[in-house]
Amino acid sequence: MKKTLIAVALLLTSAWAMAQTQVIAHRGFWNTEGSAQNSIRALVKADSIQAYGSEFDVWMAADGQLVVNHDPSYKGHKIQTSPSIRLTSLQLANGETLPTLSAYLNKAQELNTRLILELKVHNKPEEESEAIQKILKMVDELGLNERMEYISFSLHAVKEFIKNAPKNTPVYYLRGELSPKELKEIGCTGPDYHYKVFKKNPEWIKECHELGMKVNAWTVNKEEDMKWLIDRNADFITTNEPILLQKLLKE
């Protein structure tokens, strides 16, 4: 009897752990000393606090090299029309230089956090397709397939990731206009929408779960918004304040 009760308790604990909202550090854990958005240091810091995942942004430079940066330009240099050698000479706020995807993923090999790669919307769908092939090839060569998740505001890119990434790789759509049913039909793992989209359509969270999909919300920095999503069993919350979110989840 005692063994049975212990087994049941372990199963319940396991189910609770699987259901608990997980923390994704937005552009890495950059809001801390010595770090910077989308820096390798931010990736390392996200891993150090045992965040479920570290989100980062990827562009393809003019020479076809992949680099990590959020905005379409950095320090006056347009990412898509600049050579990577120029871009990777530019300093980030913490003194690092703007990283290539190769350098970023090579460092990730030493870590454990999941890698939430956002492909930015490029000038042409063909450029996104090229970037995706290069991303998937690099990830496979580095043995990181099991730790990757892909997100994008581009529906074309989302469909390309679903089509070409290894089976069961999580792929989420960011823009916010598609219903859970529409996302399910194209093969998405679920929505990764701004939290205000879910506040406008609160039934979508439950509907996603009923359809067997996961829910991520971004970018959630206020305690009240975090609690709202936790109370509704959002699977993931992407935040610039991962320590605050971890604290709330322990309460």
Side-chain angles (χ1 to χ4, degrees):
M1 180 67 176
K2 185 177 180 181
K3 288 183 178 180
T4 302
L5 289 173
I6 291 172
V8 170
L10 288 172
L11 284 171
L12 290 173
T13 301
S14 176
W16 175 84
M18 289 174 66
Q20 188 184 34
T21 301
Q22 299 288 338
V23 180
I24 295 175
H26 183 235
R27 304 179 197 169
F29 183 21
W30 61 268
N31 194 12
T32 186
E33 186 177 354
S35 194
Q37 294 186 17
N38 275 316
S39 65
I40 290 176
R41 179 65 174 166
L43 170 65
V44 173
K45 292 292 286 185
D47 184 76
S48 75
I49 62 169
Q50 298 182 320
Y52 167 88
S54 186
E55 185 265 354
F56 59 103
D57 305 285
V58 173
W59 290 93
M60 188 167 66
D63 56 3
Q65 296 298 311
L66 300 167
V67 297
V68 179
N69 189 67
H70 179 266
D71 294 340
S73 298
Y74 187 70
K75 292 188 173 180
H77 299 272
K78 291 184 178 180
I79 304 293
Q80 288 191 257
T81 57
S82 300
S84 59
I85 193 169
R86 181 186 301 163
L87 296 169
T88 56
S89 69
L90 302 173
Q91 278 200 342
L92 304 180
N94 67 341
E96 290 181 36
T97 53
L98 191 149
T100 62
L101 179 61
S102 176
Y104 195 93
L105 293 182
N106 271 281
K107 185 62 179 179
Q109 286 185 301
E110 304 170 14
L111 309 174
N112 296 304
T113 188
R114 290 184 69 81
L115 304 165
I116 318 299
L117 187 156
E118 178 182 344
L119 181 65
K120 305 304 291 186
V121 179
H122 285 59
N123 292 332
K124 300 176 182 179
E126 295 80 10
E127 293 169 340
E128 295 173 359
S129 296
E130 181 182 350
I132 287 167
Q133 291 302 320
K134 291 180 176 182
I135 289 166
L136 295 177
K137 183 174 185 291
M138 186 184 300
V139 165
D140 186 60
E141 289 175 348
L142 292 173
L144 290 171
N145 281 320
E146 295 300 317
R147 285 172 52 201
M148 298 300 301
E149 301 188 16
Y150 298 106
I151 61 178
S152 186
F153 280 95
S154 164
L155 190 56
H156 170 77
V158 165
K159 290 178 178 179
E160 285 290 285
F161 275 124
I162 292 169
K163 178 181 176 182
N164 294 292
K167 187 178 180 181
N168 298 322
T169 299
V171 181
Y172 296 83
Y173 183 51
L174 291 166
R175 193 169 297 279
E177 82 281 9
L178 297 183
S179 69
K181 183 180 178 181
E182 289 172 313
L183 292 175
K184 182 75 172 180
E185 287 173 351
I186 65 174
C188 269
T189 305
D192 186 350
Y193 289 168
H194 192 275
Y195 71 93
K196 290 183 179 178
V197 174
F198 292 118
K199 285 200 167 185
K200 185 178 179 181
N201 304 278
E203 72 280 1
W204 279 6
I205 297 176
K206 183 180 178 182
E207 187 177 338
C208 283
H209 290 154
E210 290 173 347
L211 290 169
M213 296 193 294
K214 301 287 189 179
V215 171
N216 190 0
W218 58 269
T219 300
V220 189
N221 298 323
K222 293 182 179 179
E223 184 172 326
E224 62 190 85
D225 297 321
M226 292 176 179
K227 287 181 176 178
W228 188 90
L229 288 159
I230 292 167
D231 288 345
R232 285 157 182 79
N233 300 314
D235 299 282
F236 311 102
I237 294 176
T238 300
T239 179
N240 292 325
E241 302 290 346
I243 297 297
L244 171 60
L245 179 53
Q246 288 179 329
K247 177 178 175 291
L248 293 177
L249 288 166
K250 289 176 181 177
E251 291 180 352

